[in-house]
């Protein structure tokens, strides 16, 4: 048994032997010292980063979905609001949905004031997150450029940059010469079928490690007493007199005073359990990586017209993404012609990739909303809250989404940043069209 | 990719088609009499099921006709094809 903080402690003791309150003070801290100490012990003594408790019969708050958003929500409930009697239920393994399948891009270059505020809040949380969570989320603010391939696109990007600046978010326009200097392997020939006219650029944009974000939030939430319960599928929601009472799950019935559902592509499935309808359509979104090569691409590059976006991972793989498949699907896979089209686009933009082997391809289930903006807030069922509709843009918003959703649940009122994204906007007509900023074809 | 069985052209590659989403959505005959909530339901709210889905597809790069499909959104199996003016076949439970 390792002795941590002066008290004997069994690393792999059953969850029941450790109270929610007592764990918080004694979670193992990652540091150069703990790394050195464990290196001397062949790394045999690292503690589990989170427990695997059995579900309790009831909780104050149950979060459905242990993706990045759900885990972040649980963390902020505990940290910002002192609510620790929380369970996060996950039908599979934590972070195994879209959180583990995205292309890791982080940015806040959105057009509408309300969107810009929320995505920028998320980016600002990202900037302090590794330190806050004591977990390296590998935020790499390498710069993100969105290419303009015509005079009209150039004007649209100039409008976006102006909108960003008016919202206090830095952004700039790049000439084609500046684009070429930042990205030497990009084909900037004026004779190209879709030549590069310039680009909008967010210096603080970049990438982060998707798994690390889930794991960092999971460890930090667990350390504050949150129960993360995997292999636990919600099969029904029990309502009584217009209010949530509890959840039927594959691991038994769990009573809950408040339930926050944040399950991305499965939003409609959960909504139906409460008799609710959503404007969500679930579509495949595919991604793929190339074989590793030496560092050749030092920015994130997105092209709307020549449709593909790409970054290079720390392993040297080019990480590629493009548009959704055009049909509804929960299969976590898509059709190959979508891959062929984006590789044609990639080769047009970066001729040197023509010999690269594609190593691995996968898909997720994205919850597409008619205006490409999320739905966050209360529902007609008292105590039931939904956070969905992030579609193709959920990774970058993980911290911000969790932050505002935790507030919405704790206060039973939407956080001011989340208020414009209420489900009710589809009745009032105040949609927030972010198809352009989504950067992904719908 | 899917092989989509166009009722007129036979099975063709998915890339020849556009998926029109949920089928059998009827435009209310009396829009002015509808509440905002009812109108929003017609415009935006969708079933989006995990399982059998009644959809409409357009053979965009072929005969350019619309038709209906019943397709499973998990296995992508196509169970039925029928014309726009035909009622949906019954689904076994």
């Amino acid at each position: 048994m390792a002795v941590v903080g002066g008290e004997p402690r069994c690393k792999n003791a059953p969850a029941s032997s450790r109270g929610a309150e007592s764990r918080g003070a004694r979670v193992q801290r990652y540091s150069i010292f703990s790394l050195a100490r464990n290196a001397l012990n062949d790394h045999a003594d690292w503690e589990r980063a989170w427990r695997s408790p059995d579900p309790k019969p009831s909780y104050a708050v149950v979060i459905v979905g242990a993706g990045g958003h759900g885990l972040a929500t649980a963390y902020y409930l505990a940290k910002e609001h002192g609510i620790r009697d929380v369970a996060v239920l996950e039908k599979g393994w934590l972070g195994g949905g879209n959180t583990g399948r995205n292309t890791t891009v982080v940015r806040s270059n959105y057009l509408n004031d309300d969107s810009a505020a929320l995505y920028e809040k998320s980016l600002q949380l990202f900037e302090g997150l590794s330190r806050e969570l004591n977990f390296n989320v590998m935020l790499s603010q390498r710069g993100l450029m969105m290419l303009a391939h015509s005079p009209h696109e150039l004007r649209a990007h100039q409008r976006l940059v102006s909108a960003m600046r008016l919202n206090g978010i830095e952004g700039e326009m790049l000439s084609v010469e500046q684009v070429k200097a930042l990205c030497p392997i990009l084909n900037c020939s004026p004779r190209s079928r879709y030549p590069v006219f310039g680009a909008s650029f967010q210096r603080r944009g970049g990438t982060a490690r998707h798994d690390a974000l889930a794991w960092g939030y999971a460890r930090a939430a667990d350390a504050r007493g949150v129960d993360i319960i995997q292999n636990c599928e919600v099969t029904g929601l029990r309502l009584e007199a217009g209010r949530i009472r509890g959840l039927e799950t594959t691991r038994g019935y769990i009573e809950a005073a408040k339930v926050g559902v944040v399950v991305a592509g499965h939003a409609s499935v959960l909504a139906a359990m409460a008799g609710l309808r959503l404007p969500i359509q679930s579509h495949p979104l595919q991604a793929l990586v190339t074989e590793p090569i030496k560092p050749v691409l030092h920015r994130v590059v997105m092209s709307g017209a020549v449709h593909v976006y790409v970054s290079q991972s720390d392993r040297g793989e080019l990480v590629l993404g493009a548009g959704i498949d055009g049909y509804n699907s929960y299969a976590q896979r898509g059709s190959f012609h979508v891959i062929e089209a984006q590789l044609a686009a990639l080769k047009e933009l970066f001729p040197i990739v023509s010999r690269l082997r594609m190593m691995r391809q996968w898909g997720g289930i994205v919850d597409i909303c008619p205006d490409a903006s999320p739905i966050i807030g209360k529902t007609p069922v008292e105590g039931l809250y939904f956070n969905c509709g992030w579609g193709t843009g959920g990774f970058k918003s993980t911290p911000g989404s969790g932050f505002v959703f935790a507030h919405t649940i704790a206060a039973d009122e939407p956080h001011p940043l989340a208020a414009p994204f209420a489900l009710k906007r589809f009745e009032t007509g105040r949609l927030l069209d972010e198809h352009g900023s989504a950067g992904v074809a719908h | 990719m899917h092989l989509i069985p166009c009722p007129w052209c036979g099975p063709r590659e998915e890339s020849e088609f556009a998926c029109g989403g949920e089928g059998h959505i009827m435009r209310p005959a009396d829009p002015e009499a509808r509440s905002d909530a009812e109108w929003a339901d017609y415009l935006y709210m969708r079933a989006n099921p995990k399982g059998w889905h009644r959809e409409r597809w357009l053979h965009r790069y072929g005969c350019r006709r619309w038709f209906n499909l019943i397709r499973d959104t998990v296995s992508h199996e196509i169970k039925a094809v029928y014309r726009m003016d035909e009622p949906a076949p019954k689904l076994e439970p």
Side-chain angles (χ1 to χ4, degrees):
Chain A
M1 278 204 296
V3 176
V4 176
E7 276 182 276
R9 183 167 181 229
C10 223
K11 283 177 290 299
N12 297 313
S16 54
S17 74
R18 288 188 251 167
E21 298 77 24
S22 58
R23 176 172 168 86
R26 295 179 296 166
V27 70
Q28 176 179 49
R29 194 169 168 73
Y30 295 148
S31 69
I32 189 65
F33 304 109
S34 66
L35 183 61
R37 202 163 51 237
N38 279 278
L40 296 172
N41 278 347
D42 286 327
H43 296 289
D45 296 332
W46 288 107
E47 291 174 17
R48 289 183 185 281
W50 51 80
R51 301 162 292 128
S52 285
D54 292 324
K56 295 191 319 210
S58 82
Y59 291 91
V61 180
V62 169
I63 303 297
V64 183
H69 289 223
L71 292 166
T73 301
Y75 169 74
Y76 291 117
L77 276 171
K79 186 204 170 224
E80 300 286 324
H81 304 280
I83 300 171
R84 296 166 198 276
D85 187 23
V86 177
V88 187
L89 305 184
E90 170 54 50
K91 70 171 167 62
W93 66 96
L94 69 86
N98 293 346
T99 298
R101 296 162 193 266
N102 57 75
T103 50
T104 78
V105 172
V106 170
R107 58 188 176 91
S108 63
N109 53 346
Y110 278 70
L111 184 67
N112 290 293
D113 297 349
D114 299 321
S115 319
L118 183 52
Y119 286 99
E120 175 61 16
K121 172 68 180 175
S122 193
L123 184 57
Q124 288 177 9
L125 286 169
F126 252 119
E127 286 170 327
L129 205 57
S130 291
R131 181 156 293 146
E132 181 179 339
L133 298 180
N134 181 230
F135 201 97
N136 186 7
V137 302
M138 295 166 62
L139 178 67
S140 167
Q141 292 177 283
R142 59 189 65 178
L144 179 139
M145 67 173 79
M146 293 177 117
L147 304 177
H149 293 276
S150 69
H152 327 289
E153 275 208 304
L154 202 59
R155 273 199 287 279
H157 284 260
Q158 283 168 337
R159 179 191 178 211
L160 173 67
V161 168
S162 297
M164 288 166 66
R165 285 176 166 166
L166 287 169
N167 280 313
I169 303 168
E170 91 314 331
E172 55 199 277
M173 289 302 296
L174 302 175
S175 65
V176 61
E177 293 78 23
Q178 289 172 311
V179 168
K180 184 69 176 173
L182 286 173
C183 195
I185 62 168
L186 184 61
N187 173 18
C188 291
S189 163
R191 280 183 298 284
S192 171
R193 174 62 181 87
Y194 296 104
V196 175
F197 273 68
S200 59
F201 188 57
Q202 183 173 32
R203 270 182 207 280
R204 284 166 59 237
T207 63
R209 173 108 193 269
H210 50 355
D211 294 324
L213 189 61
W215 299 338
Y217 273 125
R219 176 168 168 268
D222 175 272
R224 283 172 164 76
V226 170
D227 284 355
I228 301 168
I229 301 166
Q230 301 173 76
N231 298 307
C232 180
E233 182 172 359
V234 173
T235 55
L237 294 173
R238 198 178 289 182
L239 314 182
E240 199 179 285
R243 125 156 261 129
I244 191 79
R245 283 290 171 218
L247 309 96
E248 313 277 0
T249 82
T250 52
R251 293 180 67 172
Y253 176 70
I254 300 172
E255 203 173 71
K258 291 183 175 183
V259 173
V261 177
V262 50
V263 296
H266 280 76
S268 302
V269 175
L270 272 294
M273 293 178 191
L276 300 173
R277 275 164 67 79
L278 294 173
I280 299 296
Q281 298 275 53
S282 297
H283 283 255
L285 181 62
Q286 302 180 67
L288 68 163
V289 290
T290 70
E291 57 182 324
I293 53 175
K294 68 171 188 179
V296 296
L297 180 65
H298 312 290
R299 318 276 175 244
V300 182
V301 180
M302 303 181 72
S303 171
V306 187
H307 192 56
V308 70
Y309 59 95
V310 58
S311 63
Q312 186 165 22
S313 75
D314 288 343
R315 287 204 289 248
E317 305 154 343
L318 296 186
V319 182
L320 310 173
I324 57 172
D325 285 59
Y327 46 85
N328 291 42
S329 172
Y330 289 78
Q332 293 178 313
R333 64 187 171 101
S335 302
F336 192 64
H337 64 279
V338 172
I339 301 297
E340 288 180 296
Q342 73 182 267
L343 291 178
L346 187 74
K347 185 170 168 302
E348 173 66 21
L349 288 172
F350 304 99
I352 69 159
V353 308
S354 68
R355 303 290 183 168
L356 274 185
R357 275 170 278 261
M358 298 300 134
M359 195 163 68
R360 193 168 55 245
Q361 170 270 355
W362 62 88
I365 313 167
V366 288
D367 41 343
I368 299 295
C369 216
D371 56 358
S373 289
I375 298 170
I376 313 169
K378 301 168 71 163
T379 67
V381 177
E382 196 65 37
L384 180 65
Y385 310 85
F386 261 71
N387 181 353
C388 60
W390 292 95
T392 61
F395 178 65
K396 67 180 83 70
S397 51
T398 301
S401 165
F403 186 84
V404 303
F405 198 42
H407 174 106
T408 302
I409 295 170
D412 192 36
E413 268 309 309
H415 186 281
L417 292 177
F421 299 98
L423 180 60
K424 210 151 175 65
R425 71 181 186 271
F426 294 99
E427 278 178 45
T428 63
R430 195 182 180 273
L431 273 61
L432 285 148
D433 184 6
E434 291 288 359
H435 281 94
S437 306
V440 171
H442 290 71
Chain B
M1 64 172 84
H2 291 81
L3 274 182
I4 303 289
C6 172
W8 294 274
C9 307
R12 306 296 289 234
E13 288 183 338
E14 179 198 315
S15 47
E16 294 187 11
F17 298 84
C19 179
E22 184 177 318
H24 303 285
I25 296 170
M26 300 297 293
R27 190 172 199 273
D30 52 346
E32 287 76 33
R34 298 293 161 156
S35 67
D36 286 348
E38 288 171 319
W39 193 246
D41 190 275
Y42 158 64
L43 281 182
Y44 299 118
M45 304 305 158
R46 297 291 179 264
N48 191 34
K50 185 177 186 181
W52 294 116
H53 192 212
R54 299 181 315 178
E55 316 177 320
R56 45 195 173 191
W57 285 71
L58 168 67
H59 196 180
R60 183 159 60 183
Y61 299 117
C63 64
R64 294 183 56 78
R65 291 184 176 97
W66 285 92
F67 55 94
N68 288 312
L69 277 188
I70 297 182
R71 189 182 64 92
D72 188 288
T73 60
V74 179
S75 68
H76 298 173
E77 178 194 342
I78 293 170
K79 184 199 259 284
V81 194
Y82 53 108
R83 302 189 180 191
M84 291 305 289
D85 55 353
E86 289 176 330
K90 290 267 183 292
L91 291 171
E92 298 94 59

